[in-house]
């Protein structure tokens, strides 16, 4: 098995296809990355920028360059010694446009007689022998779906609802029947989109109706959905795979075993969110995760713990409450609302798998549900991690049971009864409960609570626990030693296509924890000038503006709309509040048009920008040199100021980056400024050192700084490489700088591969070492002749 030293993630799509990826392979190599890392490549919904809505497993998407494109990209990579990692999607397929989805079209045509009926996770009995498709719009009158069905037509042997095409089963439209009558004879039922919450009868990806789950645990489904993927490995077109959303599978461990067998044990990563002290099962056939756990550690060691009390108090004031908001209670509520709302159909499916029918009660959303469904929803709301993998994780189920009974003692008997069944790894209800708990967590936490818990926006990032405000250097070192000992080939990351904010947005927001009073004062004046009436959301929006600045008006408007509707407090996706959203968009416009607001923003930026850049460079060097395989998300070698998707999939100016790299390689040491070239310097030197001198990275050992500013340094020894980074830069500046602070190394000369400067060994003054950049990367000169990775 070939292991990567580092990766560079590219979003492959029509506007940047595999041929263009081949064209920048030289730049990626020159930057110092070891592998190219591609987003999903299989044929997807037309126009899809992300590729997670696969519609045909048998071919590489022509819009993404097709087979010829992968041949070209692979050849370019091979010529430069680069490996290739490719993202794959085993859990679901795209069904938004049925005519494009090969398996789905056949299923709709032939129903339970389709050979693909076994591939999809459909509850046929609940649907009366039909697949329920929530595609009909609101009629606007009491006639409801009947009016919408009257809009069906038959054209070219297909049933059509406006521009969406559906198949007609053979022999069901030969007698002059009306479109409505023909519809009644099909293996599917078109229904109002609002009915999906409770009445859908196929498993989805989270709550996305247009992504239908498939059963890769069925051998032929695995084989046919992976034949092209396996070809990439066997023909040497790729060296590793990144598995999207394994938690949605019936048996993730079994799937990984099947994948290992099919690919000959190739390098595999899983997109797995770990909660708190949760560890990836060591029995899985995987090298590790995609790195969100590393992201959380790096962010938190750069946050000032002394800012917590003031930010908590500010958050409470904005919520008009005296107590600090409880993250645990907040997510219990949001998860329960998801279980009772958009994922109610999944809860009811588990109930049907149990075969129970008891008296109904009123759930949190006001709907009538059975006591069994009520107890299931409560268990899902209380589940502490994304899912268990029975028998692994059985303790999490018991933890959820105890918490659920504490919340709902009147359901204790029902919960105890459920616990027996849900502990049985072979029971269909237990399997489906495991598949569902991750859905509830993702929608209730990442896509709801993250937009409501706003005391410091950088805390609410994918894979992070916002209740953990910060960690000290000792705890950071402990976690890195654990990574080195357990999954040293696991990916590490700071930005991905899924992060809520780019790494440098978070780095700047982190500065606010060092100056909470200045932030409180500025925020107060901004709220007076542009009132919105939703304090927590106002914090979120102003932090986004500050963190991503300079950002276009268009980008910020798009972020505000998504953030506010995901939060769901003042407006929602399904029932937008026109009045509130008008005020919200006026808030965004004020950042460009209101002189006082502009002055306040510029005043705060003057205080946080330089410190944010310091945090950015520290975070990046730590990520690139700490244990694990560092991934650089496309373009983030310069300042990464993206907000939530699709903003983080914007086009990248690779020509500019190549020009900067040529200048740096020509001897230019850039200033730490708005260009981001200083970050490119740090990234290229760290990546090249790891790639070209992997033998220097043999261990992880914490090092201490000594002196009055010691707490502002984080230092670690990777064997023959020492990383030195600055933390809490505002406090460092206010204390007068590094002063007498030193780091003690072995008594041999070392070179800082970032600046090329040589320092005598032994005691090194940080005032000298970090006088140009807030970071340094030190290697003994006798191990790195010619000044190193430059």
């Amino acid at each position: 098995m070939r292991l990567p030293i580092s990766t560079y993630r590219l979003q492959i799509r029509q506007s940047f296809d595999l041929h263009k990826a081949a064209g920048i392979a030289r730049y990626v190599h020159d930057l110092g990355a070891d592998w190219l890392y591609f987003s999903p490549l299989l044929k997807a919904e037309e126009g899809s920028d992300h590729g997670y809505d696969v519609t045909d497993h048998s071919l590489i998407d022509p819009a993404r360059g097709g087979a010829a494109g992968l041949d070209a990209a692979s050849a370019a990579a091979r010529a430069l010694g680069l490996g290739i990692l490719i993202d794959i999607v085993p859990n679901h397929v795209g069904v938004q446009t049925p005519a494009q989805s090969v398996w789905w079209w056949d299923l709709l045509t032939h129903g339970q007689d389709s050979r693909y009926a076994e591939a999809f996770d459909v509850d046929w009995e609940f649907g009366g022998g039909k697949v329920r498709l929530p595609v009909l719009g609101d009629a606007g009158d009491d006639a409801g779906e009947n009016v919408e069905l009257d809009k069906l037509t038959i054209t070219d042997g297909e049933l059509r609802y406006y521009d969406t095409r559906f198949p007609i089963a053979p022999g069901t439209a030969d007698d002059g029947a009306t479109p409505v009558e023909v519809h009644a004879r099909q293996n599917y039922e078109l229904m109002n989109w609002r009915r999906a919450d409770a009445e859908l009868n196929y498993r989805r990806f989270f709550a996305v109706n247009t992504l239908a789950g498939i059963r890769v645990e069925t051998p032929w489904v695995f084989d046919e959905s992976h034949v092209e993927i396996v070809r990439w490995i066997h023909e040497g077109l790729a060296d590793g795979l990144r598995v999207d959303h394994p938690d949605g599978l019936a048996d993730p461990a079994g799937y990984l075993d099947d994948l290992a067998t099919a690919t000959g044990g190739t390098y595999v990563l899983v997109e797995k969110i770990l909660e708190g002290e949760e560890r990836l099962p060591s029995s899985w056939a995987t090298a590790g995760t995609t790195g969100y756990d590393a992201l959380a550690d790096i962010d938190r060691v750069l946050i000032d713990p002394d800012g917590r009390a003031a930010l908590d108090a500010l958050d409470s004031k904005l919520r008009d409450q005296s107590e600090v908001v409880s993250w645990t209670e907040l997510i219990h509520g949001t998860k329960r609302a998801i279980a009772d709302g958009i994922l109610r159909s999944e809860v009811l499916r588990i109930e049907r798998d149990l075969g129970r029918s008891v008296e109904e009660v009123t759930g949190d959303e006001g709907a009538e549900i059975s006591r069994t469904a009520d107890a299931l929803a409560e268990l899902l709301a209380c589940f502490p991690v994304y899912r268990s993998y029975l028998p692994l994780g059985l303790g999490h189920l018991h933890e959820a049971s105890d918490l659920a009974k504490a919340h709902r003692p009147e359901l204790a008997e029902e919960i105890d009864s459920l616990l027996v069944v849900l502990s049985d790894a072979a029971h269909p209800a237990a399997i489906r409960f495991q598949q569902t708990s991750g859905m509830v967590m993702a929608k209730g936490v990442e896509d709801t609570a993250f937009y409501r818990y706003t005391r410091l926006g950088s805390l609410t990032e994918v894979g992070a626990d916002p209740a953990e405000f910060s960690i000290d250097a000792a705890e950071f070192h402990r976690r890195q030693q654990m990574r080195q000992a357990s999954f040293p080939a696991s990916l590490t990351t700071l930005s991905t296509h899924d992060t809520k904010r780019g790494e440098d947005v978070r780095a700047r927001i982190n500065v606010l924890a060092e100056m909470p009073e200045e932030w409180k004062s500025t925020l107060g004046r901004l709220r007076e000038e542009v009132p919105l009436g939703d304090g927590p959301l106002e914090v979120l929006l102003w932090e986004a503006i500050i963190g991503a600045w300079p950002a276009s008006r268009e980008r910020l408007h798009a972020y505000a709309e998504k953030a506010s509707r995901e939060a769901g407090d003042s407006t929602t996706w399904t029932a937008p509040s026109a009045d509130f959203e008008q005020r919200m968009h006026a808030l965004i416009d004020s950042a460009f048009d209101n002189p006082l607001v502009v002055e306040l923003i510029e005043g705060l930026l003057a205080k946080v920008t330089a410190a944010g850049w310091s945090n950015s460079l520290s975070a990046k060097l730590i990520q690139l040199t700490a244990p694990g395989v560092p991934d650089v998300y496309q373009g983030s070698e310069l300042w990464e100021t993206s907000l939530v998707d699709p903003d983080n999939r914007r086009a990248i100016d690779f020509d500019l980056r190549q020009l900067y790299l040529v200048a740096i390689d020509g001897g230019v040491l850039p200033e730490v400024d708005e260009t981001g070239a200083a970050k490119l310097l740090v990234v290229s030197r760290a990546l090249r050192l790891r790639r070209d001198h992997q033998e220097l990275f043999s261990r992880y050992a914490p090092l201490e700084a000594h002196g009055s500013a010691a707490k502002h340094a984080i230092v670690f020894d990777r064997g023959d490489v020492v990383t030195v980074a600055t933390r809490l830069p505002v406090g460092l500046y206010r204390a007068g700088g590094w002063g007498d602070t030193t780091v003690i190394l072995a008594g041999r000369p070392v070179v800082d591969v970032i600046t090329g400067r040589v320092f005598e060994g032994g005691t090194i003054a940080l005032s000298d070492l970090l006088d140009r950049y807030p970071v340094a990367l030190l290697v003994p000169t006798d191990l790195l002749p010619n000044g190193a990775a430059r």
Side-chain angles (χ1 to χ4, degrees), residues 57-75:
H57 293 98
S58 68
L59 75 160
I60 299 173
D61 198 334
R64 289 173 165 77
L70 182 57
D71 288 346
S74 182

Side-chain angles (χ1 to χ4, degrees), residues 469-486:
F469 188 84
S470 63
I471 60 174
D472 60 20
E475 176 61 17
F476 174 81
H477 291 315
R478 186 191 71 81
R479 295 181 185 184
Q480 303 321 301
Q481 288 172 317
M482 176 70 74
R483 181 182 306 279
Q484 176 75 3
S486 57

Side-chain angles (χ1 to χ4, degrees), residues 544-557:
I545 292 169
I546 295 295
W549 200 264
S552 70
R553 193 187 301 250
E554 179 184 17
R555 289 177 56 209
L556 292 173
H557 277 301

Side-chain angles (χ1 to χ4, degrees), residues 491-511:
L491 218 61
T492 68
T493 190
L494 288 180
S495 297
T496 76
H497 61 289
D498 275 335
T499 42
K500 304 299 184 185
R501 299 164 190 81
E503 60 202 57
D504 300 316
V505 176
R506 299 196 311 275
R508 188 180 290 177
I509 291 173
N510 286 345
V511 178

Side-chain angles (χ1 to χ4, degrees), residues 374-674:
D374 193 15
L376 285 168
E378 192 63 32
L379 282 168
L380 289 166
C382 294
F383 209 77
V385 296
Y386 273 69
R387 65 166 284 174
S388 56
Y389 310 93
L390 296 177
L392 298 177
L394 183 60
H396 295 310
L397 181 59
H398 285 273
E399 183 181 345
S401 172
D402 291 342
L403 186 58
K405 287 187 288 187
H407 274 279
R408 299 289 302 281
E410 74 278 14
L411 291 175
E413 184 177 347
E414 187 72 31
I415 291 169
D416 285 339
S417 175
L418 288 174
L419 192 62
V420 175
V421 180
L422 298 182
S423 299
D424 179 0
H427 197 288
I431 295 171
R432 194 168 303 281
F433 183 90
Q434 292 175 88
Q435 291 176 284
T436 305
S437 62
M439 300 184 195
V440 173
M441 177 74 86
K443 295 304 296 181
V445 177
E446 291 178 34
D447 293 345
T448 307
F450 273 11
Y451 294 93
R452 296 184 183 181
Y453 193 75
T454 60
R455 63 174 175 174
L456 190 66
S458 53
L459 296 173
T460 49
E461 192 48 84
V462 179
D465 177 4
E468 182 177 64
F469 188 84
S470 63
I471 60 174
D472 60 20
E475 176 61 17
F476 174 81
H477 291 315
R478 186 191 71 81
R479 295 181 185 184
Q480 303 321 301
Q481 288 172 317
M482 176 70 74
R483 181 182 306 279
Q484 176 75 3
S486 57
F487 286 97
S490 185
L491 218 61
T492 68
T493 190
L494 288 180
S495 297
T496 76
H497 61 289
D498 275 335
T499 42
K500 304 299 184 185
R501 299 164 190 81
E503 60 202 57
D504 300 316
V505 176
R506 299 196 311 275
R508 188 180 290 177
I509 291 173
N510 286 345
V511 178
L512 301 178
E514 289 200 77
M515 48 176 61
E517 294 305 321
E518 291 96 325
W519 169 231
K520 176 182 177 182
S521 175
T522 301
L523 179 65
R525 296 186 64 189
L526 288 169
R527 296 185 70 220
E528 288 176 2
E529 184 68 13
V530 193
L532 183 58
D534 184 335
L537 184 67
E538 289 173 71
V539 172
L540 196 73
L541 297 181
W542 288 119
E543 283 185 344
I545 292 169
I546 295 295
W549 200 264
S552 70
R553 193 187 301 250
E554 179 184 17
R555 289 177 56 209
L556 292 173
H557 277 301
Y559 174 76
E561 180 176 284
K562 181 168 184 174
S564 62
R565 293 181 179 180
E566 294 281 47
D569 281 329
S570 298
T571 187
T572 66
W573 289 109
T574 55
S577 168
D579 290 343
F580 178 82
E581 293 195 3
Q582 183 177 16
R583 297 196 307 274
M584 178 187 71
H585 288 297
L587 182 153
I588 298 299
D589 285 331
S590 73
F592 299 89
D593 303 332
N594 185 314
L596 176 58
V597 172
V598 171
E599 179 184 350
L600 290 168
I601 290 174
E602 290 177 347
L604 187 61
L605 285 170
K607 297 177 181 179
V608 303
T609 299
W613 288 337
S614 176
N615 283 342
S616 292
L617 296 181
S618 291
K620 202 65 193 174
L621 183 63
I622 291 170
Q623 183 229 346
L624 296 177
T625 59
V629 175
D631 173 51
V632 177
Y633 184 63
Q634 59 175 25
S636 65
E637 60 271 29
L638 296 185
W639 302 135
E640 170 52 273
T641 58
S642 296
L643 296 167
V644 72
D645 67 282
D647 190 58
N648 54 23
R649 295 198 298 268
R650 288 171 295 139
I652 304 301
D653 187 343
F654 287 108
D655 290 340
L656 176 66
R657 286 159 174 77
Q658 290 180 77
L659 287 173
Y660 282 177
L661 187 58
V662 168
I664 290 169
D665 287 344
V668 174
L669 285 180
E671 298 298 322
V672 182
D673 60 18
E674 65 279 354

Side-chain angles (χ1 to χ4, degrees), residues 109 153-160 166-188:
T109 303
T153 60
I154 297 176
T155 306
D156 297 330
E158 296 172 346
L159 198 63
R160 300 198 178 185
F166 299 95
I168 293 177
T172 60
D174 301 332
D175 57 358
T178 67
V180 173
E181 291 170 334
V182 170
H183 166 259
R185 301 169 181 173
Q186 302 311 307
N187 295 298
Y188 53 85

Side-chain angles (χ1 to χ4, degrees), residues 93-136:
V93 298
V95 297
Q96 179 174 347
T97 307
Q100 293 181 25
S101 191
V102 177
W103 292 11
W104 190 248
W105 186 263
D106 193 88
L107 179 80
L108 298 186
T109 303
H110 301 291
Q112 296 179 73
D113 293 331
S114 168
R115 75 177 296 260
Y116 297 106
E118 189 180 19
F120 289 97
D121 196 351
V122 180
D123 187 343
W124 294 100
E125 182 178 357
F126 180 65
K130 300 175 182 285
V131 184
R132 291 177 168 174
L133 305 181
V135 299
L136 299 182

